[in-house]
Amino acid sequence: MKHTSLIALTSLLALSAGAASAQTYDRVITFGDSLSDSGNLYAVTGGTQPPAPYNRRFTNDKVWVEYLIGTMNGYTTAGVPTGNVNFAFGGARTDAQANPPGTAVQLQAYQARGGTFGARDVVTMWAGANNLFQGLPVAATNPATATGVMGSLASSAAGDIASQVNTIAGAGAGTVLVLNLPDLNNTPQFKGTAAQDLAGFSSSSFNSALNTAVKTVAASRPTTNIVQVDINTAFKLIIANPSAFGLSDVTSSCVATTACVTGGASVQNNYLFWDGVHPTAAGHRLVAAVATQYLYTPTLSEGVSLFADVSYAARRNAMLGFNHRLYEGQKGVFVEVIGDQAQSERTVNLQSAPGATAAGLKTKAYDYDLTGLRFGTVFGHGEAATFGAGVTLLKGDATGYLLTAKPTLISFDAGAKWDKGPHFVTLGLGMGYEEFEDYRRQTTLAAVTIQQEKVQGWSASAQVETGWRHDMGTLSLTPVARLSWVSGHMRGFDENYTVGAVSFDGRKVSALSGALELRAQARLSDKTRLTGSLGYEDVLSGETDPLKGQLINNTALPFSREMGERPTEGVIAGVGLTTEVMGFGVTARYAGSFGKDDHKTQSALIALTRAF
């Protein structure tokens, strides 16, 4: 299958960003029906159910939870169930049905054998379809009452699951994944039949009732992370655009198509459905990818932290760019063509799947490129004072972990400089507004991106610097000390709803930094000067908010991911050339900072200045 596999799924996690402790789980415990049965019914029926061409499961290979975790221990008949265990049975209902055991019986059997639930366990629950399948033929005999009968049945099945989830949560489970049902009127068994509309109504009623019932349980179990996995929405996306998910047929049953059954896995996995209602292995991999998106949402969302980081870095560059113009003291109106770039890495401990050992990896925290203009004026007042103001307009691209956006930045800087002989003091204030348009965040379903029209941010800065110029003929050296405060803010926002969309809180990154520089200026002629600088900048104190959010329309607990401290800027350097052409001052300048973990900012400009 092309787009969604364990390889793609694992590689997404393996690129995860953040400086926080790993989001890890110890094992998976599974309850449910044929959608999760990894061979239990086959074992207890002596290999007769399901029959060939099924592969011990109700599909052509493995089921979703096996793709999520790997090896399952199965339904143990003796001993305490430990490790990754699967108690799901094909044909199971949500009640106390004995044969095959319903989910209520599965849960009782697990606990009766000494099975326990821990804070680092993931418990999965996917059931309800068999309740509907068994009720549909009877309900359909009386169209006048059919919807009422099926609505009641769906509500009862949802209530069963909610009750079992409550028991699991009460027994100490840290995380419970509850999966809803795909729209049954899109399955081969019902599509195009007289029962299609009633089947669709039944699954819709079940999903609605399940959401309501699970919300009630979650409210009473505030310490358990009860995550609702929206398989219904995911399947609608897949069916609407099958080729994007590596599928060619989302309407037919593979086992009802001779060429599919005999064509081997490469042909079979072009189909979404193995039979009338069960997915192929390709479909199960897609389900595993969706479950992973919901389970690892805190980790997979960390790229959103870039917005506050970009606001901070861009504001710092704008502040220093304008500050340097005041320092040079070129009076008049000016316009600058600017290129601005910054990037940084972050180390994170990652878990590729529940039970796997977390490993520390490096990835991009953010990377942006901006171009635009700065224009304004610098003027004198008396012999000692210089004042100035400037506006900066920049546009470009920004990328982070699983995320891209197109930022537009508008900022304003103002400052003043006082000279007294060789001594000087410069003060500056600035603020900015940022919009990040065309926001796209990749999910574990490679064909699905979560989108947002725009994300807003704002920034502010203040700085003071002082220095003492030493003139030595055509060369001058100026040691400079600078104290600066910069703050970048991301405003809270809700992603457009699709698989795994999140509502994010606002986030702030701010730091008070100190810098020491040695600046040099060589006068090459009456009109031409060469400048250079070298120094070091360090963060003296800072405040970096965690990234906070919560899955939208979900009972999952809110999350908070620490993003680590603001990296120090490290070595700072610059070089420039200023001359005069046809009455205009012309300046070309480059400045950059180079810290650890590939943390760097760079800015280059070409400026024209017209004296008053």
Side-chain angles (χ1 to χ4, degrees):
M1 196 179 105
K2 289 185 283 189
H3 288 286
T4 310
S5 66
L6 277 187
I7 295 175
L9 191 146
T10 302
S11 66
L12 283 174
L13 288 177
L15 292 173
S16 213
S21 59
Q23 182 191 358
T24 57
Y25 306 96
D26 289 343
R27 61 175 182 148
V28 174
I29 305 160
T30 296
F31 303 103
D33 53 27
S34 54
L35 292 169
S36 303
D37 185 349
S38 58
N40 293 327
L41 185 64
Y42 185 87
V44 300
T45 60
T48 61
Q49 294 295 326
Y54 293 83
N55 180 36
R56 303 173 68 94
R57 305 158 181 84
F58 290 81
T59 185
N60 58 319
D61 198 353
K62 297 178 180 179
V63 295
W64 73 277
V65 72
E66 294 175 284
Y67 292 120
L68 176 70
I69 185 61
T71 303
M72 306 294 291
N73 294 346
Y75 184 88
T76 56
T77 56
V80 177
T82 59
N84 301 315
V85 291
N86 190 334
F87 274 63
F89 268 86
R93 294 164 53 95
T94 61
D95 52 24
Q97 170 186 269
N99 188 25
T103 52
V105 177
Q106 295 170 24
L107 176 56
Q108 291 168 3
Y110 174 78
Q111 292 183 303
R113 294 185 184 127
T116 59
F117 301 103
R120 294 167 65 87
D121 289 341
V122 176
V123 184
T124 75
M125 177 68 72
W126 196 11
N130 288 310
N131 300 56
L132 304 183
F133 295 155
Q134 294 170 22
L136 277 167
V138 176
T141 61
N142 188 346
T145 61
T147 56
V149 170
M150 291 309 299
S152 177
L153 193 155
S155 180
S156 177
D160 291 340
I161 291 175
S163 176
Q164 292 151 28
V165 169
N166 184 57
T167 298
I168 292 167
T175 301
V176 185
L177 296 185
V178 183
L179 288 71
N180 65 10
L181 296 179
D183 198 340
L184 292 180
N185 66 7
N186 283 323
T187 61
Q189 180 168 324
F190 295 104
K191 191 174 181 66
T193 70
Q196 178 175 348
D197 289 344
L198 185 58
F201 168 83
S202 300
S203 56
S204 176
S205 297
F206 171 80
N207 288 341
S208 178
L210 182 68
N211 179 48
T212 300
V214 172
K215 280 182 177 177
T216 300
V217 173
S220 68
R221 300 291 185 182
T223 61
T224 303
N225 190 28
I226 301 174
V227 184
Q228 297 189 69
V229 180
D230 191 0
I231 298 300
N232 181 39
T233 294
F235 266 55
K236 287 180 178 179
L237 294 172
I238 294 165
I239 290 171
N241 188 14
S243 62
F245 297 88
L247 303 172
S248 59
D249 192 319
V250 294
T251 60
S252 305
S253 161
C254 180
V255 296
T257 308
T258 302
C260 180
V261 175
T262 60
S266 61
V267 174
Q268 295 167 3
N269 287 329
N270 286 320
Y271 283 64
L272 176 60
F273 293 102
W274 176 241
D275 58 18
V277 291
H278 297 104
T280 59
H284 277 287
R285 288 191 184 100
L286 290 168
V287 172
V290 176
T292 297
Q293 182 68 35
Y294 281 91
L295 180 62
Y296 286 97
T297 284
T299 297
L300 297 173
S301 300
E302 287 187 4
V304 174
S305 65
L306 77 83
F307 295 120
D309 292 326
V310 170
S311 292
Y312 178 103
R315 173 91 298 272
R316 175 185 174 275
N317 273 4
M319 174 191 74
L320 294 181
F322 182 77
N323 174 61
H324 197 83
R325 173 162 286 277
L326 275 179
Y327 165 76
E328 289 187 328
Q330 283 186 286
K331 298 178 177 63
V333 294
F334 66 87
V335 60
E336 301 172 350
V337 179
I338 302 171
D340 194 1
Q341 189 272 338
Q343 64 184 50
S344 188
E345 288 186 345
R346 183 180 289 130
T347 301
V348 63
N349 291 317
L350 306 171
Q351 185 182 41
S352 60
T357 301
L361 295 174
K362 281 190 175 182
T363 186
K364 290 290 184 187
Y366 62 88
D367 190 345
Y368 75 79
D369 292 277
L370 302 168
T371 57
L373 299 174
R374 179 185 296 120
F375 54 89
T377 183
V378 174
F379 57 93
H381 181 73
E383 295 184 357
T386 303
F387 300 92
V391 176
T392 305
L393 306 174
L394 298 173
K395 290 181 69 70
D397 297 285
T399 62
Y401 168 58
L402 297 177
L403 189 149
T404 62
K406 296 184 180 299
T408 298
L409 289 79
I410 304 171
S411 60
F412 175 79
D413 288 272
K417 179 186 176 188
W418 287 268
D419 290 281
K420 186 175 182 181
H423 302 280
F424 74 90
V425 175
T426 302
L427 300 175
L429 294 173
M431 61 183 302
Y433 170 75
E434 298 85 33
E435 280 192 355
F436 299 86
E437 298 178 307
D438 199 22
Y439 166 101
R440 296 175 182 270
R441 184 165 70 88
Q442 182 61 55
T443 72
T444 48
L445 285 168
V448 175
T449 56
I450 300 173
Q451 301 181 23
Q452 183 69 16
E453 182 178 347
K454 65 182 176 181
V455 177
Q456 296 176 312
W458 64 275
S459 56
S461 64
Q463 64 85 29
V464 57
E465 71 175 24
T466 184
W468 188 348
R469 187 178 66 255
H470 298 266
D471 292 320
M472 297 174 289
T474 59
L475 177 69
S476 67
L477 296 176
T478 307
V480 176
R482 180 174 63 251
L483 193 65
S484 62
W485 170 83
V486 180
S487 186
H489 299 249
M490 175 192 82
R491 291 181 178 173
F493 68 97
D494 290 353
E495 294 177 317
N496 287 340
Y497 183 69
T498 183
V499 174
V502 175
S503 175
F504 291 100
D505 293 352
R507 180 173 180 262
K508 177 180 70 175
V509 175
S510 61
L512 178 68
S513 300
L516 294 175
E517 283 185 85
L518 180 62
R519 296 174 183 170
Q521 177 178 285
R523 187 174 295 278
L524 304 181
S525 69
D526 290 341
K527 297 181 179 181
T528 305
R529 293 172 295 161
L530 178 66
T531 61
S533 62
L534 184 65
Y536 190 84
E537 181 174 328
D538 201 358
V539 172
L540 304 179
S541 66
E543 182 180 358
T544 305
D545 287 350
L547 179 68
K548 296 182 178 181
Q550 183 173 21
L551 283 162
I552 296 173
N553 296 332
N554 207 293
T555 49
L557 293 178
F559 62 84
S560 178
R561 299 290 285 171
E562 294 294 336
M563 294 291 103
E565 296 179 355
R566 172 70 192 176
T568 183
E569 302 300 335
V571 175
I572 52 178
V575 62
L577 182 68
T578 299
T579 188
E580 185 177 319
V581 178
M582 299 177 65
F584 286 90
V586 180
T587 300
R589 187 169 188 275
Y590 166 85
S593 66
F594 307 89
K596 295 180 179 179
D597 296 326
D598 199 30
H599 175 73
K600 63 183 179 182
T601 64
Q602 301 180 90
S603 183
L605 63 84
I606 297 176
L608 293 177
T609 304
R610 183 69 173 180
F612 293 115

